[in-house]
Amino acid sequence: MKYNFLLLLSAVLLCIGCEDKTGTLELKFLGSYDGAPLILGEMVEYDDYQLQFFESDFYISEISLTEGSSITEVKDIDFVDFTNTNFSLEGAENGFSLVYNNIETGNYDGLRFGIGVPPVENMTKPSDYNSDHVLSKPGYYWQAWDSYIFAKLAGKYKDEAGTFDDGFLFHTGTDDLFRTREGNFNISINEESTTIIEIIIDHEKLLKLQNGDFYDIQNNSTNHDPTDPVPLQMLVNNYSDAISFQQ
Amino acid sequence: MKQLSFLILLAFALIACESCDPDPISGISLTHIEYSPTSFDLEKPANFPELEIPSDNPLTVEKIELGRHLFYDPILSADSTMSCASCHLPELAFTDNLAFSEGIDGIAGNRSSMSIVNVGFYYTGLFWDGRSQTLEDQAILPVEDPIELHNNWPELMEKLRSSELYQRLFREAFGIDNTLEMTKELAAKAISSFERVIISGDAKIDRFTLNIGVLTDEELEGFEMFFDINPDLPDAECGHCHSYPLMTTNEFRNNGISEADDLADFPDKGYGTLTGNPLDNGKFRSPSLRNIQLSGPYMHDGRFETLREVIEHYNSGGKSSPNKDPLIYPLGLTEEQKDNLEAFLHTMLDTSYLDKDYITNPFD
């Protein structure tokens, strides 16, 4: 009897001792253009003409914290969307946040995520999900590719007549164009506090060729054929280059 | 003798009235009516997503039955002339054939009636501008809307409480013990249940997609342009906003029907009124194209009479406005390609669901 009691007591103590300590990780996405906050619908200079962005959003997946070779998964998939934040300067400065609770406390040496939908999930369709799941968005599935649309970037450019009548639109997708981005820096998650990592996405860099030249948006404005190396390959590779981290 | 029979008749009438006209303070008991709800066996089309049903309003045969009666019953309008079905006619894919629907006072609103077919699958906000979140919330609105049924709920509920038919239907649907428990919230739950089972998913395009049917060459070419499948044909871009299986993404977009110099200039600000984001002005919900050939005139303001006019609009690249969607640009379709696109739109027709006994008008 006494023995049983001791066993119970030690079990209880053990449980208290081993209760995981957790904190919160906030990923704050800041859309920018040439160093300034990106404001949708406002004019920006591109090459020798002007652009207006109206849409910028993408899937982010396999979000994880790394420590050496060990990986702590934070979230399988989520969605970053500047539509409802970046229509004013204030909104653009505050950015779009994804907040994750219950992250194991400790020191990590990196943050890693994919831009797009990983191949396994990309075999599914929006109708496989309930409406509260980010993969349920019918507007982000492209039947002709059998793939989710990983990212959408759209806006208008000033044409020769000097008006913003014509649009540009780049959709990325398909398994080959799934890319991963990793940032290596110290991240510490502390109990009952929030660690904020700012992830800056430079939209000018997104639309430039690898050699830094401007891309001819006016003449290639709506191409979304995934096998076309330009602009989609350019764009998906740019997503990793255009992203920088700040803590 | 005559007098006596008159008196007897009067007495009967009084007794009869008493039993159906409940005392507003104590109501009348309904416990003598059997309550044994049966869950509804939903036939969801194979390609469709799950139908999401609120946990506090599970589908039952009895609720759908009550909802069906309320939906078709002119008792809902102040002067008993109009029901929901007056603007949502089953044979017109639950729309009407007016640019602007008219209410009981003959006053027209500024929006065209929407199809409620498959509406149970829409979760991004109802109405053209997304201003109502759930069917339960939505169903409360038309009854008191001055340009619709122009009634008021307390009076309507009084009428329903004194109707033997509705006493029975409410009891069977919700197991309430007394007429006093008949509320507008329960009415809305029943109407929503009815709306959720108005499902259409057996069109030619569905049978084609499930590999149990074929399209003609013309329809197939239309299909390939609609979904940008064939690099040898022009991309019509339609599928980006009207995607399979619901034939809509339910996203809010500006498809270029209104000219506006700046974002404040739209005659109807649509989604922008709801979000307060000026970039959303002039955006409306992309509607489903299922049964589209039945639901003209088209667009939120019914501006196009025919599908051909709609196709001409998209082919032209639309009118200019600051936030016109980049997918709306001149498509360069030939007359034959327009015919084929139109032929494809006709493959979304399905009227088989209209014969279901839980959908037809119970008063016919």
Side-chain angles (χ1 to χ4, degrees):
Chain A
M1 188 60 207
K2 222 183 210 167
Y3 181 71
N4 273 353
F5 174 74
L6 277 179
L7 211 86
L8 192 77
L9 189 75
S10 50
V12 168
L13 284 177
L14 238 145
C15 261
I16 295 172
C18 69
E19 197 187 324
D20 281 346
K21 295 203 174 77
T22 62
T24 299
L25 174 67
E26 176 176 342
L27 301 182
K28 187 190 257 207
F29 293 86
L30 298 167
S32 76
Y33 190 91
D34 193 18
L38 171 78
I39 302 171
L40 301 178
E42 292 216 340
M43 224 151 62
V44 292
E45 301 291 330
Y46 183 84
D47 202 356
D48 54 0
Y49 51 102
Q50 280 119 21
L51 300 181
Q52 292 171 332
F53 286 85
F54 279 101
E55 176 171 11
S56 172
D57 44 54
F58 55 89
Y59 281 104
I60 168 171
S61 53
E62 299 176 341
I63 306 167
S64 40
L65 292 170
T66 55
E67 167 60 20
S69 58
S70 87
I71 295 171
T72 305
E73 187 175 272
V74 173
K75 186 76 199 283
D76 54 350
I77 189 145
D78 234 318
F79 191 70
V80 177
D81 184 356
F82 290 120
T83 317
N84 297 321
T85 52
N86 284 46
F87 64 89
S88 67
L89 178 62
E90 193 193 352
E93 282 171 347
N94 288 334
F96 177 93
S97 281
L98 293 172
V99 178
Y100 304 107
N101 299 315
N102 300 322
I103 311 294
E104 211 177 305
T105 55
N107 291 318
Y108 299 88
D109 63 11
L111 171 72
R112 183 195 291 175
F113 51 81
I115 305 280
V117 179
V120 173
E121 282 84 358
N122 205 22
M123 291 189 322
T124 63
K125 288 194 181 65
S127 56
D128 296 332
Y129 298 91
N130 273 346
S131 62
D132 56 1
H133 197 287
V134 291
L135 288 173
S136 72
K137 298 173 186 294
Y140 287 79
Y141 191 81
W142 196 229
Q143 197 160 322
W145 300 347
D146 272 333
S147 169
Y148 275 90
I149 294 173
F150 294 174
K152 289 188 184 180
L153 195 61
K156 295 195 168 189
Y157 58 86
K158 201 169 196 171
D159 55 21
E160 273 148 23
T163 59
F164 281 96
D165 265 352
D166 298 314
F168 67 86
L169 164 105
F170 303 118
H171 291 176
T172 71
T174 69
D175 292 351
D176 287 348
L177 299 186
F178 180 72
R179 295 288 182 276
T180 310
R181 175 73 166 98
E182 192 165 342
N184 294 310
F185 47 91
N186 290 330
I187 302 163
S188 92
I189 303 284
N190 303 311
E191 201 177 353
E192 283 171 27
S193 78
T194 301
T195 304
I196 300 176
I197 300 176
E198 293 184 344
I199 301 174
I200 300 146
I201 302 174
D202 182 332
H203 286 65
E204 189 184 28
K205 281 198 186 144
L206 275 185
L207 287 178
K208 276 189 171 178
L209 297 169
Q210 291 288 298
N211 63 9
D213 284 355
F214 287 98
Y215 173 69
D216 185 2
I217 295 173
Q218 286 169 314
N219 290 310
N220 306 276
S221 57
T222 55
N223 191 334
H224 48 246
D225 174 357
T227 58
D228 186 345
V230 190
L232 289 193
Q233 303 261 5
M234 163 190 98
L235 199 59
V236 292
N237 295 331
N238 284 356
Y239 266 101
S240 7
D241 297 345
I243 288 175
S244 57
F245 299 95
Q246 200 169 291
Q247 240 183 333
Chain B
M1 188 57 207
K2 247 192 189 151
Q3 232 170 12
L4 187 70
S5 57
F6 173 74
L7 274 180
I8 294 174
L9 224 95
L10 192 77
F12 263 113
L14 275 177
I15 292 167
C17 258
E18 192 153 343
S19 72
C20 66
D21 233 2
D23 181 322
I25 308 293
S26 58
I28 57 169
S29 168
L30 300 173
T31 49
H32 60 286
I33 302 166
E34 196 190 326
Y35 171 57
S36 57
T38 343
S39 75
F40 180 78
D41 220 354
L42 187 78
E43 289 170 49
K44 181 182 76 69
N47 288 325
F48 276 33
E50 285 306 315
L51 181 67
E52 291 169 33
I53 298 159
S55 55
D56 64 350
N57 192 19
L59 279 184
T60 65
V61 171
E62 292 77 10
K63 267 192 249 174
I64 295 166
E65 186 61 5
L66 169 59
R68 180 168 75 113
H69 280 78
L70 290 169
F71 187 87
Y72 287 102
D73 196 340
I75 195 172
L76 257 63
S77 63
D79 59 359
S80 297
T81 56
M82 278 187 93
S83 66
C84 309
S86 307
C87 302
H88 301 284
L89 285 79
E91 62 276 20
L92 299 177
F94 288 90
T95 60
D96 55 21
N97 52 9
L98 301 169
F100 300 123
S101 308
E102 277 179 22
I104 60 162
D105 303 324
I107 309 169
N110 60 348
R111 302 262 176 88
S112 185
S113 171
M114 302 183 83
S115 171
I116 55 171
V117 175
N118 297 335
V119 71
F121 294 95
Y122 303 161
Y123 314 109
T124 57
L126 298 168
F127 288 127
W128 286 104
D129 54 10
R131 69 185 183 281
S132 187
Q133 270 310 311
T134 64
L135 284 173
E136 280 77 0
D137 290 347
Q138 194 282 334
I140 301 275
L141 303 175
V143 169
E144 296 196 335
D145 192 327
I147 55 171
E148 295 193 1
L149 303 170
H150 204 180
N151 204 343
N152 71 69
W153 274 105
E155 273 174 37
L156 171 58
M157 287 318 301
E158 272 323 300
K159 277 199 229 167
L160 295 176
R161 285 186 196 112
S162 37
S163 147
E164 273 184 64
L165 171 68
Y166 284 106
Q167 290 171 1
R168 176 173 64 76
L169 290 172
F170 270 84
R171 162 74 184 171
E172 288 173 349
F174 296 105
I176 51 170
D177 294 338
N178 188 292
T179 50
L180 291 179
E181 295 165 58
M182 292 167 68
T183 60
K184 66 174 179 185
E185 286 76 17
L186 293 186
K189 281 187 169 180
I191 293 174
S192 309
S193 299
F194 168 68
E195 290 174 310
R196 287 198 173 94
V197 299
I198 307 178
I199 297 176
S200 162
D202 187 23
K204 203 170 179 184
I205 183 184
D206 299 301
R207 276 168 270 135
F208 169 72
T209 311
L210 293 167
N211 286 321
I212 50 173
V214 289
L215 298 183
T216 65
D217 288 348
E218 291 75 25
E219 291 161 351
L220 193 64
E221 197 171 306
F223 168 80
E224 290 180 339
M225 289 185 290
F226 191 97
F227 289 110
D228 305 358
I229 287 173
N230 186 342
D232 298 332
L233 292 171
D235 289 347
E237 312 284 10
C238 322
H240 281 289
C241 301
H242 303 284
S243 68
Y244 193 79
L246 296 169
M247 299 320 298
T248 171
T249 55
N250 278 315
E251 290 174 341
F252 296 87
R253 298 270 165 187
N254 171 356
N255 70 339
I257 58 171
S258 295
E259 174 122 25
D261 282 341
D262 71 68
L263 291 166
D265 278 352
F266 288 99
D268 183 339
K269 294 196 178 60
Y271 191 46
T273 313
L274 182 80
T275 65
N277 176 350
L279 292 176
D280 288 334
N281 287 353
K283 290 188 181 173
F284 291 87
R285 206 172 93 219
S286 306
S288 171
L289 301 188
R290 285 192 175 270
N291 300 303
I292 193 68
Q293 76 205 70
L294 302 177
S295 67
Y298 302 104
M299 306 298 165
H300 73 271
D301 55 5
R303 67 174 59 208
F304 299 127
E305 283 296 324
T306 62
L307 283 176
R308 191 52 166 227
E309 286 174 48
V310 172
I311 292 174
E312 293 293 354
H313 154 70
Y314 284 113
N315 192 49
S316 76
K319 296 187 179 152
S320 112
S321 60
N323 59 351
K324 186 183 79 174
D325 203 282
L327 288 162
I328 310 296
Y329 59 87
L331 302 174
L333 305 180
T334 65
E335 291 307 305
E336 195 189 335
Q337 287 166 339
K338 291 177 203 166
D339 291 344
N340 295 345
L341 197 55
E342 193 170 339
F344 174 62
L345 294 180
H346 287 227
T347 68
M348 297 169 204
L349 178 69
D350 161 31
T351 50
S352 61
Y353 68 102
L354 290 174
D355 302 330
K356 302 244 163 36
D357 53 8
Y358 53 83
I359 290 182
T360 52
N361 186 339
F363 303 105
D364 274 351

